[in-house]
């Protein structure tokens, strides 16, 4: 399993984030957005085997695309570097994948989820945009704009990230639905950013999300890849 962590100037937060990541993770991919602090040095000190990808573009969507391309595991999990997402919840996401889901999205509104950080404007905008997606795409999502998701790597072609900003979560959720992926929501609790200031701007990024929703309506979906067939017993060394 690979965990992708997009980060820009998050040196103070990484110790808290990495402390929550299970030791059984195969690979941590840190995508550095050309930080001017010690983000990369701290990541390497905390996890000497961390894979560092230097972002050449800008924005969270671009960072995630670069991180996903660098992953080598069958399962990919994306979390935030600001301390708002809890790595202890990863087992819930992975459990949903191995029991049949193609794409697992965290929800702050599902029973057991919550948020310490949602302002009135963000909460209202997210509810409105989530309802719009549910009507347009026939989904039953409870949370559209949340950055904690996991999926099988074989579905990267369906997601086909081609956006730069915070609208990336919406893009992934819409394309997963349009591509026929089996989407499962799990409860997640969002915490406040520990240190620093968020680059998210509710109105600006809300408009970008709305434009993404409308643009995707006209785009032809990429069909999902079938689940690999199990190898014959002889090929697995079973007598």
């Amino acid at each position: 399993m690979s965990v992708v962590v997009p980060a820009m100037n998050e040196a103070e937060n990484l110790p808290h984030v990495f402390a929550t990541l299970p030791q059984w993770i195969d690979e941590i991919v840190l995508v550095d957005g050309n930080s001017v602090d010690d983000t990369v040095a701290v990541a390497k000190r905390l996890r000497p085997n961390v894979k560092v990808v230097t972002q050449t573009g800008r924005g969270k969507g671009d960072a995630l695309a670069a991180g996903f391309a660098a992953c080598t595991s069958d399962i990919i999990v994306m979390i935030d570097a600001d301390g708002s997402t809890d790595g202890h919840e990863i087992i819930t996401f992975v459990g949903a994948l191995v029991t049949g889901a193609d794409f697992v999205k965290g929800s702050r509104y599902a029973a057991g989820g919550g948020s310490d950080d949602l302002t009135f404007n963000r909460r209202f905008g997210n509810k409105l945009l989530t309802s719009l997606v549910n009507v347009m795409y026939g989904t039953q999502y409870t949370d559209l704009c949340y950055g904690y998701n996991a999926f099988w790597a074989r579905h990267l072609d369906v997601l086909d990230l081609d956006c730069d900003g915070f609208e990336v979560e919406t893009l992934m959720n819409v394309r997963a639905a349009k591509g026929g992926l089996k989407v499962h929501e799990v409860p997640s609790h969002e915490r406040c950013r520990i240190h620093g200031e968020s680059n998210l701007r509710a109105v600006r990024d809300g408009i970008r999300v709305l434009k993404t929703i409308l643009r995707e309506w006209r785009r032809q979906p990429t069909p999902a890849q079938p689940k690999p067939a199990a190898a014959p017993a002889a090929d697995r060394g079973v007598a």
Side-chain angles (χ1 to χ4, degrees):
M1 185 187 73
S2 300
V3 175
V4 177
V5 188
M8 185 173 69
N9 300 325
E10 300 285 8
E12 289 186 286
N13 293 321
L14 286 184
H16 303 277
V17 175
F18 279 28
T20 71
L21 298 179
Q23 291 296 322
W24 45 263
I25 290 172
D26 299 310
E27 179 178 62
I28 299 175
V29 179
L30 180 90
V31 185
D32 178 52
N34 297 286
S35 299
V36 296
D37 66 359
D38 293 329
T39 291
V40 173
V42 169
K44 290 182 176 179
R45 173 173 59 80
L46 295 169
R47 294 287 181 100
N49 62 341
V50 66
K51 179 183 291 187
V52 177
V53 175
T54 301
Q55 186 178 357
T56 56
R58 293 175 61 86
K60 185 177 184 181
D62 179 83
L64 286 173
F68 294 165
C71 291
T72 60
S73 302
D74 291 339
I75 290 176
I76 298 175
V77 181
M78 52 185 269
I79 67 170
D80 292 330
D82 58 5
S84 62
T85 46
D86 185 357
H88 292 115
E89 295 178 356
I90 285 177
I91 188 66
T92 305
F93 287 77
V94 174
L97 287 174
V98 299
T99 53
D102 295 312
F103 184 94
V104 181
K105 58 192 299 299
S107 173
R108 295 162 291 186
Y109 299 102
S115 176
D116 302 328
D117 192 42
L118 277 175
T119 62
F120 174 81
N121 286 343
R122 287 179 60 203
R123 188 183 299 273
F124 177 77
N126 189 23
K127 285 285 190 181
L128 191 65
L129 294 166
T130 301
S131 298
L132 179 61
V133 165
N134 286 340
V135 170
M136 291 180 66
Y137 297 99
T139 53
Q140 295 181 325
Y141 295 156
T142 63
D143 197 351
L144 185 70
C145 308
Y146 188 43
Y148 207 162
N149 300 288
F151 54 92
W152 291 100
R154 66 177 180 270
H155 298 311
L156 274 172
D157 287 345
V158 174
L159 304 178
D160 187 26
L161 299 194
D162 55 2
C163 67
D164 297 330
F166 286 101
E167 70 274 16
V168 61
E169 293 97 356
T170 296
L171 183 76
M172 294 175 71
N173 290 333
V174 169
R175 288 187 178 172
K178 290 179 63 178
L181 300 188
K182 184 178 180 180
V183 181
H184 185 81
E185 283 192 336
V186 296
S188 179
H189 191 96
E190 178 187 38
R191 291 160 175 78
C192 293
R193 164 181 279 275
I194 300 173
H195 299 286
E197 185 176 331
S198 174
N199 292 314
L200 178 68
R201 298 295 178 265
V203 175
R204 176 200 66 186
D205 293 307
I207 292 173
R208 292 183 66 139
V209 168
L210 178 59
K211 289 180 177 178
T212 297
I213 293 170
L214 299 177
R215 185 183 68 242
E216 286 300 302
W217 182 252
R218 299 186 297 271
R219 181 182 181 272
Q220 286 295 111
T222 301
Q225 293 296 314
K227 183 178 179 179
D235 292 346
R236 301 198 305 267
V238 178

